[in-house]
């Protein structure tokens, strides 16, 4: 068997169709919204990498701290021979986990919508770790996922706090879908950002250098390029707010003045009133008991809970049952 395989379960035109559907639905509803996945074209991915190095943005550093400290504990607790990573991207942080799982680890299954990211990460991993099998999946894990045959036990990793981008009903459906992929002996490793003081949370999404603002506005550039729209970044300001009741951060784009955005590919004209906001991201923050309850509702048991030293971020290990 080749050490690197790539399987595409996402049709070539699926991204275009999904963008059109999301923009049409999101910009014709009240209030307006777009899902955060459209930040991540090549430029958006570069900006996000820059964000992870900002002093205000603690989640990446905190999660890496846990992985460095606890990967061998995770390996000992799971004995995983297959590691599946949902939304793998560059697979950079996952290297700590892969190294801890070796030599028992047989297969790494990264799942992402970006074929180029999967190929780049897979080739780099294989160059560094001969003997590892990489079976990359070009797929959207939020819309059903069939895993390739691979030796068990399997560890499914969903890192980065990305689960916080899902609304509660979406999280429920997602966790149930993950539970459906698992068999006895398998486990889920889940990264969650934790509730903390408002100032720290808002600063992480509204940095002094304005990198997050550029990242937020990049969604307009994606719509302009892909759908022929005429949205201008200078017509909007970046806003990050903490919703105390729901315990999540919202990123929004606020119209600086009354304007219209024309989207020829959708035969759509979108009016904005002065001060009207377009929600571009929800990032939920969690508490241990809430994570436990959401896992239990999906048929999973919280077995281990690890945080960084400052208790800003957590990794949960959940098992079937």
């Amino acid at each position: 068997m080749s050490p690197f395989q790539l399987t595409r379960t996402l049709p070539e035109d699926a991204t275009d169709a999904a963008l059109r559907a999301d923009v049409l639905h999101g910009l014709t509803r009240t209030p307006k919204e777009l899902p955060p996945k459209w930040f991540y074209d090549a430029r958006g991915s570069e900006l996000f990498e820059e964000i992870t190095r900002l002093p205000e943005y603690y989640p990446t550093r905190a999660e890496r701290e846990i992985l460095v400290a606890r990967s061998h504990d995770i390996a000992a607790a799971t004995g995983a021979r297959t590691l599946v990573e949902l939304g793998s991207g560059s697979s950079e942080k996952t290297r700590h986990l892969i190294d801890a799982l070796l030599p028992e680890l047989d297969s790494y299954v990264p799942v992402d919508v970006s074929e180029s990211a999967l190929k780049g990460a897979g080739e780099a991993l294989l160059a560094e770790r001969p003997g590892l099998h990489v079976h990359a999946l070009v797929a959207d894990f939020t819309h059903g996922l069939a895993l390739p045959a691979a030796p068990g036990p399997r560890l499914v990793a969903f890192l980065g706090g990305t689960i916080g981008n899902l609304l509660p009903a979406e999280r429920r459906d997602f966790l149930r879908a993950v539970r459906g992929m698992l068999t006895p002996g398998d486990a889920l490793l889940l990264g969650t950002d934790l509730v903390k003081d408002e100032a720290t949370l808002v600063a992480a999404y509204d940095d002094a250098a304005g990198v997050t603002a550029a990242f937020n506005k990049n969604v307009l550039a994606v719509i302009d390029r892909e759908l022929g729209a005429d949205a201008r970044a200078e017509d909007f300001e970046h806003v990050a707010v903490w919703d105390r009741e729901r315990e999540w951060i919202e990123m929004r784009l606020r119209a600086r003045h009354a304007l219209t955005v024309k989207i020829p590919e959708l035969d759509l004209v979108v009016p904005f009133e002065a001060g009207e906001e377009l929600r571009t991201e929800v990032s939920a923050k969690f508490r241990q008991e809430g994570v436990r309850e959401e896992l239990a509702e999906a048929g999973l048991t919280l077995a281990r809970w690890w945080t960084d030293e400052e208790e800003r971020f957590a990794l949960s290990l959940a098992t079937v049952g």
Side-chain angles (χ1 to χ4, degrees):
M1 181 175 67
S2 168
F4 181 78
Q5 294 176 268
L6 187 139
T7 300
R8 171 177 283 279
T9 64
L10 199 64
E12 292 281 358
D13 62 351
T15 300
D16 292 340
L19 175 62
R20 294 169 70 93
D22 285 345
V23 171
L24 181 61
H25 172 73
L27 296 189
T28 56
R29 71 186 303 276
T30 303
K32 297 178 175 68
E33 65 178 17
L34 288 172
K37 64 183 177 182
W38 301 118
F39 291 138
Y40 297 96
D41 63 350
R43 176 58 178 154
S45 297
E46 290 173 1
L47 286 167
F48 185 71
E49 286 301 313
E50 192 174 341
I51 286 170
T52 65
R53 297 189 290 271
L54 292 170
E56 297 97 331
Y57 194 79
Y58 62 85
T60 302
R61 291 190 298 277
E63 185 177 47
R64 185 180 290 113
E65 178 188 322
I66 305 169
L67 286 168
V68 169
R70 298 296 186 178
S71 282
H72 287 284
D73 294 336
I74 296 166
T78 63
R81 295 187 62 204
T82 295
L83 173 63
V84 179
E85 185 178 9
L86 306 180
S88 55
S90 66
S91 303
E92 181 182 352
K93 288 181 296 187
T94 323
R95 285 164 164 75
H96 301 292
L97 199 51
I98 290 172
D99 288 342
L101 289 166
L102 290 171
E104 285 77 13
L105 186 68
D106 178 85
S107 300
Y108 173 53
V109 182
V111 182
D112 204 278
V113 297
S114 171
E115 182 171 337
S116 60
L118 288 168
K119 285 181 176 178
E123 290 168 1
L125 282 169
L126 289 171
E128 300 162 1
R129 297 159 182 81
L132 181 67
H133 296 103
V134 177
H135 190 158
L137 296 183
V138 183
D140 183 349
F141 59 80
T142 63
H143 290 87
L145 179 65
L147 296 178
R154 295 176 299 179
L155 174 62
V156 175
F158 191 37
L159 303 176
T162 308
I163 194 167
N165 295 148
L166 303 178
L167 296 174
E170 295 170 332
R171 291 202 302 269
R172 184 168 55 250
D173 291 344
F174 168 77
L175 289 171
R176 286 174 177 169
V178 170
R179 169 62 185 88
M181 290 190 280
L182 303 180
T183 57
D186 295 342
L188 167 67
L189 184 67
L190 181 65
T192 51
D193 196 7
L194 301 180
V195 174
K196 55 189 66 66
D197 67 281
E198 181 174 348
T200 299
L201 287 165
V202 172
Y205 293 84
D206 193 10
D207 61 278
V211 182
T212 311
F215 174 70
N216 193 9
K217 292 180 182 183
N218 187 63
V219 74
L220 302 174
V222 171
I223 294 170
D224 287 355
R225 183 183 64 246
E226 300 299 330
L227 300 177
D230 62 355
R232 302 192 311 165
E234 58 267 31
D235 288 336
F236 294 86
E237 62 179 317
H238 166 69
V239 179
V241 296
W242 171 241
D243 186 319
R244 293 182 182 86
E245 182 180 346
R246 296 184 177 93
E247 295 193 322
W248 68 41
I249 285 279
E250 287 194 11
M251 289 209 313
R252 307 170 185 167
L253 292 172
R254 178 183 294 155
R256 296 182 183 273
H257 51 81
L259 60 98
T260 58
V261 174
K262 300 179 182 66
I263 310 177
E265 289 292 319
L266 299 178
D267 193 24
L268 185 65
V269 176
V270 182
F272 283 84
E273 298 178 3
E276 185 177 355
E277 294 178 340
L278 162 66
R279 187 173 75 183
T280 53
E281 181 176 80
V282 163
S283 185
K285 309 307 171 185
F286 297 86
R287 302 176 189 270
Q288 183 175 4
E289 193 52 42
V291 173
R292 185 189 307 277
E293 290 172 0
E294 291 196 33
L295 290 169
E297 187 178 356
L300 296 164
T301 300
L302 178 59
R304 302 289 297 273
W305 172 268
W306 297 284
T307 70
D308 62 298
E309 281 195 8
E310 296 181 42
E311 298 187 342
R312 299 166 295 176
F313 198 95
L315 288 182
S316 305
L317 186 69
T319 56
V320 176

